[in-house]
Amino acid sequence: FSSVVLARDANKGDVEVAIKIIRSNETMYRAGTKEAGILNTLCRDDDDPNSRYIVRLISSFDHLGHLCLVFEPMAMNLRQVLKKFGAGIGISITAVRSYAKQILLALRHMHKHRFIHAD
């Protein structure tokens, strides 16, 4: 449905960003536009400390019919975390608790704004 690439924004001092490139078809384009709108709503509520658990959408643009969503980059994805910290044994229960807490706080923030995460 999409691919994510790391890039540098030359217009903003070479800052690193993550770009989600959405497949070029009408259905996926509409879904991506809806995702951008939801993220803008969720991140607008800076008074709520739980908004920090929602990834920041920086901007979006169209490239050859592909909707591209520009995000703040994350330090590592789950696959990288498992490889670095849990090779062959899994990650510690302390880390699992921390990740679970962050996910639940993000879901609480979404619920406050009447959104449901469907993954």
Side-chain angles (χ1 to χ4, degrees):
F1 304 114
S2 64
S3 298
V4 178
V5 297
L6 284 177
R8 296 204 175 272
D9 189 339
N11 296 326
K12 294 187 179 172
D14 246 13
V15 67
E16 193 172 68
V17 295
I19 302 174
K20 182 177 184 178
I21 305 166
I22 297 173
R23 187 182 296 168
S24 178
N25 73 48
E26 187 178 336
T27 301
M28 296 307 296
Y29 200 99
R30 277 195 315 264
T33 301
K34 187 173 185 176
E35 177 182 350
I38 290 169
L39 287 168
N40 282 327
T41 298
L42 291 172
C43 292
R44 201 174 316 134
D45 188 5
D46 283 335
D47 293 336
D48 185 336
N50 292 332
S51 72
R52 71 181 184 177
Y53 300 109
I54 306 294
V55 67
R56 297 287 181 244
L57 177 65
I58 298 169
S59 65
S60 62
F61 61 93
D62 184 276
H63 178 71
L64 302 175
H66 294 273
L67 177 60
C68 299
L69 304 177
V70 182
F71 293 95
E72 63 178 332
M74 298 287 103
M76 286 186 266
N77 64 36
L78 183 57
R79 181 170 291 149
Q80 292 166 324
V81 168
L82 287 170
K83 185 175 180 181
K84 183 172 182 175
F85 299 110
I89 58 169
I91 55 178
S92 73
I93 192 67
T94 304
V96 171
R97 279 189 194 109
S98 176
Y99 299 144
K101 180 179 179 183
Q102 292 173 38
I103 291 167
L104 292 171
L105 289 170
L107 289 170
R108 176 187 284 170
H109 184 68
M110 292 174 64
H111 181 262
K112 173 184 170 185
H113 291 278
R114 305 182 60 77
F115 291 112
I116 297 172
H117 197 292
D119 276 349

Coordinates of all heavy atoms in Angstrom, one line a residue, residues 45-99:
D45 N -3.8 19.2 19.2 CA -4.1 19.3 20.6 C -2.9 19.2 21.4 O -2.6 18.2 22.2 CB -5.1 18.1 20.9 CG -5.7 18.2 22.3 OD1 -5.4 19.2 23.0 OD2 -6.4 17.3 22.7
D46 N -2.0 20.2 21.4 CA -0.7 20.2 22.1 C -0.9 20.3 23.6 O 0.0 20.1 24.4 CB 0.2 21.3 21.6 CG 0.8 20.9 20.3 OD1 1.0 19.7 20.0 OD2 1.2 21.9 19.5
D47 N -2.1 20.7 24.1 CA -2.3 20.8 25.5 C -2.5 19.5 26.2 O -2.3 19.3 27.4 CB -3.6 21.7 25.8 CG -3.5 23.1 25.4 OD1 -2.3 23.6 25.3 OD2 -4.5 23.8 25.1
D48 N -2.8 18.5 25.4 CA -2.9 17.1 25.9 C -1.5 16.4 25.9 O -1.0 16.2 24.8 CB -3.9 16.3 25.1 CG -4.2 14.9 25.7 OD1 -3.3 14.4 26.4 OD2 -5.3 14.4 25.4
P49 N -1.0 16.0 27.0 CA 0.4 15.4 27.0 C 0.4 14.1 26.2 O 1.5 13.7 25.7 CB 0.7 15.2 28.5 CG -0.6 15.3 29.2 CD -1.5 16.1 28.3
N50 N -0.8 13.5 26.0 CA -0.8 12.2 25.2 C -0.6 12.4 23.7 O -0.4 11.5 23.0 CB -2.1 11.4 25.5 CG -2.1 10.9 27.0 OD1 -1.1 10.7 27.6 ND2 -3.3 10.8 27.5
S51 N -0.7 13.7 23.3 CA -0.5 13.9 21.8 C 0.9 13.7 21.4 O 1.2 13.4 20.2 CB -0.9 15.4 21.5 OG 0.0 16.3 22.0
R52 N 1.8 13.6 22.4 CA 3.2 13.4 22.0 C 3.4 11.9 21.6 O 4.5 11.6 21.0 CB 4.1 13.7 23.2 CG 4.0 12.8 24.3 CD 5.0 13.2 25.4 NE 4.9 12.2 26.5 CZ 5.6 12.3 27.6 NH1 6.5 13.3 27.8 NH2 5.5 11.4 28.5
Y53 N 2.5 11.1 21.8 CA 2.6 9.7 21.4 C 2.0 9.4 20.0 O 2.0 8.3 19.5 CB 1.9 8.7 22.4 CG 2.5 8.9 23.7 CD1 1.8 9.5 24.8 CD2 3.7 8.4 24.0 CE1 2.3 9.6 26.0 CE2 4.3 8.5 25.3 CZ 3.6 9.1 26.3 OH 4.2 9.2 27.5
I54 N 1.7 10.5 19.3 CA 1.2 10.5 17.9 C 2.3 11.0 17.0 O 2.8 12.1 17.3 CB -0.1 11.3 17.7 CG1 -1.2 10.9 18.7 CG2 -0.6 11.3 16.3 CD1 -1.8 9.6 18.6
V55 N 2.6 10.2 16.0 CA 3.7 10.7 15.1 C 3.3 12.0 14.4 O 2.1 12.2 14.1 CB 4.0 9.6 14.0 CG1 2.8 9.4 13.1 CG2 5.3 9.9 13.3
R56 N 4.3 12.9 14.2 CA 4.1 14.2 13.7 C 4.1 14.2 12.2 O 5.1 13.8 11.6 CB 5.1 15.2 14.2 CG 5.0 15.4 15.7 CD 3.8 16.2 16.0 NE 3.7 16.5 17.5 CZ 2.8 16.0 18.3 NH1 1.8 15.3 17.8 NH2 2.8 16.3 19.5
L57 N 3.0 14.6 11.5 CA 3.0 14.8 10.1 C 3.5 16.2 9.8 O 2.9 17.2 10.3 CB 1.6 14.7 9.6 CG 1.4 14.9 8.1 CD1 2.1 13.9 7.2 CD2 -0.1 14.9 7.7
I58 N 4.6 16.4 9.1 CA 5.2 17.7 8.8 C 4.5 18.3 7.6 O 4.2 19.5 7.7 CB 6.7 17.5 8.6 CG1 7.3 16.9 9.9 CG2 7.3 18.8 8.2 CD1 8.8 16.5 9.7
S59 N 4.4 17.6 6.6 CA 3.7 18.1 5.4 C 3.4 17.0 4.4 O 3.6 15.8 4.8 CB 4.7 19.1 4.6 OG 5.8 18.4 4.2
S60 N 2.8 17.3 3.3 CA 2.5 16.3 2.3 C 2.7 17.0 0.9 O 2.6 18.2 0.8 CB 1.1 15.8 2.5 OG 0.1 16.9 2.3
F61 N 2.8 16.1 -0.1 CA 3.0 16.6 -1.5 C 2.6 15.5 -2.4 O 2.5 14.3 -2.0 CB 4.4 17.2 -1.7 CG 5.5 16.2 -1.6 CD1 5.9 15.4 -2.7 CD2 6.1 16.0 -0.4 CE1 7.0 14.5 -2.6 CE2 7.1 15.1 -0.2 CZ 7.6 14.3 -1.3
D62 N 2.4 15.9 -3.7 CA 2.1 14.9 -4.7 C 3.3 14.7 -5.6 O 3.9 15.7 -6.0 CB 0.9 15.4 -5.5 CG 0.5 14.4 -6.6 OD1 1.1 14.4 -7.7 OD2 -0.4 13.6 -6.3
H63 N 3.7 13.5 -5.9 CA 4.8 13.2 -6.8 C 4.3 12.2 -7.8 O 4.1 11.0 -7.5 CB 6.0 12.8 -6.1 CG 7.2 12.4 -7.0 ND1 7.9 13.4 -7.6 CD2 7.7 11.3 -7.3 CE1 8.8 12.8 -8.3 NE2 8.7 11.5 -8.2
L64 N 4.1 12.6 -9.0 CA 3.7 11.7 -10.1 C 2.5 10.9 -9.8 O 2.5 9.7 -10.1 CB 4.9 10.8 -10.5 CG 6.2 11.5 -11.0 CD1 7.3 10.5 -11.2 CD2 6.0 12.3 -12.2
G65 N 1.5 11.5 -9.1 CA 0.3 10.8 -8.7 C 0.4 10.0 -7.4 O -0.6 9.5 -7.0
H66 N 1.5 10.0 -6.8 CA 1.7 9.4 -5.5 C 1.5 10.5 -4.4 O 2.2 11.5 -4.5 CB 3.1 8.8 -5.3 CG 3.4 7.6 -6.2 ND1 3.0 6.3 -5.9 CD2 3.9 7.6 -7.5 CE1 3.4 5.6 -6.9 NE2 3.9 6.3 -7.9
L67 N 0.7 10.2 -3.4 CA 0.6 11.1 -2.3 C 1.8 10.8 -1.4 O 2.0 9.6 -1.1 CB -0.7 10.9 -1.5 CG -0.9 11.7 -0.2 CD1 -0.8 13.2 -0.5 CD2 -2.2 11.4 0.5
C68 N 2.5 11.8 -1.0 CA 3.7 11.6 -0.1 C 3.5 12.3 1.2 O 3.2 13.5 1.1 CB 5.0 12.1 -0.8 SG 5.3 11.3 -2.4
L69 N 3.5 11.6 2.3 CA 3.3 12.2 3.6 C 4.7 12.3 4.3 O 5.4 11.3 4.4 CB 2.4 11.4 4.4 CG 1.0 11.1 3.8 CD1 0.2 10.2 4.8 CD2 0.3 12.4 3.6
V70 N 5.0 13.5 4.7 CA 6.4 13.7 5.3 C 6.2 13.7 6.9 O 5.4 14.5 7.4 CB 7.0 15.1 4.8 CG1 8.3 15.3 5.4 CG2 7.0 15.1 3.3
F71 N 6.9 12.8 7.5 CA 6.8 12.7 9.0 C 8.2 12.9 9.6 O 9.2 12.9 9.0 CB 6.5 11.2 9.3 CG 5.1 10.8 8.9 CD1 4.9 10.2 7.7 CD2 4.0 11.0 9.7 CE1 3.6 9.8 7.3 CE2 2.7 10.6 9.4 CZ 2.5 10.0 8.2
E72 N 8.1 13.2 11.0 CA 9.3 13.2 11.8 C 9.8 11.8 11.7 O 9.1 10.8 11.7 CB 9.0 13.6 13.2 CG 8.0 12.6 13.9 CD 7.7 12.9 15.3 OE1 8.6 13.5 16.0 OE2 6.6 12.5 15.8
P73 N 11.1 11.6 11.6 CA 11.7 10.2 11.6 C 11.7 9.6 13.0 O 11.8 10.3 14.0 CB 13.1 10.4 11.1 CG 13.5 11.8 11.6 CD 12.2 12.6 11.5
M74 N 11.5 8.3 13.0 CA 11.6 7.6 14.3 C 13.0 7.0 14.4 O 13.7 6.7 13.4 CB 10.6 6.4 14.3 CG 9.2 6.8 14.2 SD 8.5 7.6 15.8 CE 8.6 9.3 15.3
A75 N 13.5 6.8 15.6 CA 14.9 6.3 15.8 C 15.0 4.9 15.2 O 16.0 4.7 14.5 CB 15.2 6.3 17.3
M76 N 14.1 4.0 15.5 CA 14.2 2.7 15.0 C 12.7 2.1 14.8 O 11.9 2.5 15.6 CB 14.9 1.7 16.0 CG 16.4 1.9 16.1 SD 17.1 0.7 17.2 CE 17.1 1.6 18.7
N77 N 12.6 1.2 13.9 CA 11.3 0.5 13.8 C 11.4 -0.8 14.6 O 12.5 -1.1 15.2 CB 11.0 0.2 12.3 CG 11.9 -0.7 11.6 OD1 12.4 -1.7 12.2 ND2 12.2 -0.5 10.4
L78 N 10.3 -1.4 14.8 CA 10.2 -2.6 15.7 C 11.2 -3.7 15.3 O 11.9 -4.3 16.1 CB 8.8 -3.2 15.7 CG 8.6 -4.4 16.7 CD1 9.0 -4.0 18.1 CD2 7.2 -4.8 16.6
R79 N 11.4 -3.9 14.0 CA 12.3 -4.9 13.5 C 13.8 -4.6 13.9 O 14.5 -5.4 14.4 CB 12.2 -5.0 12.0 CG 13.2 -6.1 11.4 CD 12.9 -6.4 10.0 NE 11.6 -7.1 9.9 CZ 10.8 -6.9 8.9 NH1 11.1 -6.2 7.8 NH2 9.6 -7.6 8.9
Q80 N 14.1 -3.3 13.8 CA 15.5 -2.9 14.2 C 15.7 -3.0 15.7 O 16.7 -3.4 16.2 CB 15.7 -1.4 13.8 CG 15.8 -1.3 12.3 CD 15.7 0.2 11.9 OE1 15.0 1.0 12.5 NE2 16.4 0.5 10.8
V81 N 14.6 -2.7 16.5 CA 14.7 -2.8 18.0 C 14.9 -4.3 18.4 O 15.8 -4.6 19.2 CB 13.4 -2.3 18.7 CG1 13.3 -2.7 20.1 CG2 13.3 -0.8 18.5
L82 N 14.2 -5.2 17.7 CA 14.3 -6.6 18.0 C 15.7 -7.1 17.7 O 16.3 -7.9 18.4 CB 13.2 -7.4 17.3 CG 11.8 -7.3 17.9 CD1 10.8 -7.9 16.9 CD2 11.8 -7.9 19.3
K83 N 16.2 -6.7 16.5 CA 17.5 -7.1 16.1 C 18.6 -6.6 17.0 O 19.5 -7.3 17.4 CB 17.8 -6.6 14.7 CG 19.1 -7.1 14.1 CD 19.2 -6.7 12.6 CE 20.5 -7.2 12.1 NZ 20.7 -6.8 10.7
K84 N 18.5 -5.3 17.5 CA 19.5 -4.7 18.3 C 19.5 -5.1 19.7 O 20.5 -5.4 20.4 CB 19.4 -3.2 18.2 CG 20.5 -2.4 19.0 CD 20.5 -1.0 18.7 CE 21.7 -0.3 19.5 NZ 21.8 1.1 19.2
F85 N 18.3 -5.2 20.3 CA 18.1 -5.4 21.7 C 17.6 -6.8 22.1 O 17.7 -7.2 23.3 CB 17.2 -4.4 22.4 CG 17.7 -3.0 22.2 CD1 17.1 -2.1 21.4 CD2 18.9 -2.6 22.9 CE1 17.6 -0.8 21.2 CE2 19.4 -1.3 22.7 CZ 18.7 -0.4 21.9
G86 N 17.1 -7.6 21.2 CA 16.5 -8.8 21.5 C 16.9 -10.0 20.6 O 16.1 -11.0 20.5
A87 N 18.0 -9.9 20.0 CA 18.5 -10.9 19.1 C 18.4 -12.3 19.7 O 19.1 -12.6 20.6 CB 19.9 -10.6 18.5
G88 N 17.5 -13.1 19.2 CA 17.4 -14.5 19.6 C 16.6 -14.7 21.0 O 16.3 -15.8 21.3
I89 N 16.4 -13.6 21.7 CA 15.8 -13.8 23.0 C 14.5 -12.9 23.2 O 13.8 -13.1 24.2 CB 16.8 -13.5 24.2 CG1 17.3 -12.0 24.0 CG2 17.9 -14.5 24.2 CD1 18.1 -11.5 25.2
G90 N 14.3 -12.0 22.3 CA 13.2 -11.1 22.5 C 13.6 -9.9 23.4 O 14.7 -9.9 23.9
I91 N 12.7 -8.9 23.4 CA 13.0 -7.7 24.2 C 12.5 -7.9 25.7 O 11.6 -8.7 25.9 CB 12.5 -6.4 23.6 CG1 11.0 -6.5 23.4 CG2 13.2 -6.1 22.3 CD1 10.4 -5.3 22.8
S92 N 13.1 -7.1 26.6 CA 12.8 -7.3 28.0 C 11.3 -6.9 28.3 O 10.7 -6.1 27.6 CB 13.7 -6.4 28.8 OG 13.3 -5.1 28.7
I93 N 10.8 -7.5 29.4 CA 9.4 -7.2 29.8 C 9.3 -5.7 30.1 O 8.2 -5.1 29.9 CB 9.0 -8.1 30.9 CG1 7.4 -8.0 31.1 CG2 9.7 -7.8 32.2 CD1 6.6 -8.5 30.0
T94 N 10.3 -5.1 30.6 CA 10.3 -3.7 31.0 C 10.1 -2.9 29.7 O 9.3 -1.9 29.7 CB 11.6 -3.3 31.7 OG1 11.8 -4.1 32.8 CG2 11.6 -1.8 32.1
A95 N 10.8 -3.2 28.6 CA 10.6 -2.5 27.4 C 9.2 -2.7 26.8 O 8.6 -1.8 26.3 CB 11.7 -3.0 26.4
V96 N 8.7 -4.0 26.9 CA 7.4 -4.3 26.4 C 6.4 -3.4 27.2 O 5.5 -2.8 26.6 CB 7.1 -5.8 26.5 CG1 5.6 -6.0 26.2 CG2 8.0 -6.6 25.6
R97 N 6.5 -3.3 28.5 CA 5.6 -2.5 29.3 C 5.6 -1.0 28.8 O 4.6 -0.4 28.7 CB 6.0 -2.6 30.8 CG 5.4 -3.8 31.5 CD 5.6 -3.7 33.0 NE 5.4 -4.9 33.6 CZ 6.4 -5.7 34.1 NH1 7.6 -5.3 34.2 NH2 6.1 -6.9 34.6
S98 N 6.9 -0.5 28.6 CA 7.0 0.9 28.2 C 6.3 1.1 26.8 O 5.6 2.1 26.7 CB 8.5 1.2 28.1 OG 8.7 2.5 27.6
Y99 N 6.6 0.2 25.9 CA 5.9 0.4 24.5 C 4.4 0.2 24.6 O 3.7 1.0 24.0 CB 6.5 -0.7 23.5 CG 8.0 -0.6 23.3 CD1 8.7 -1.8 23.1 CD2 8.6 0.6 23.2 CE1 10.1 -1.7 22.8 CE2 10.0 0.7 23.0 CZ 10.7 -0.5 22.8 OH 12.0 -0.4 22.6

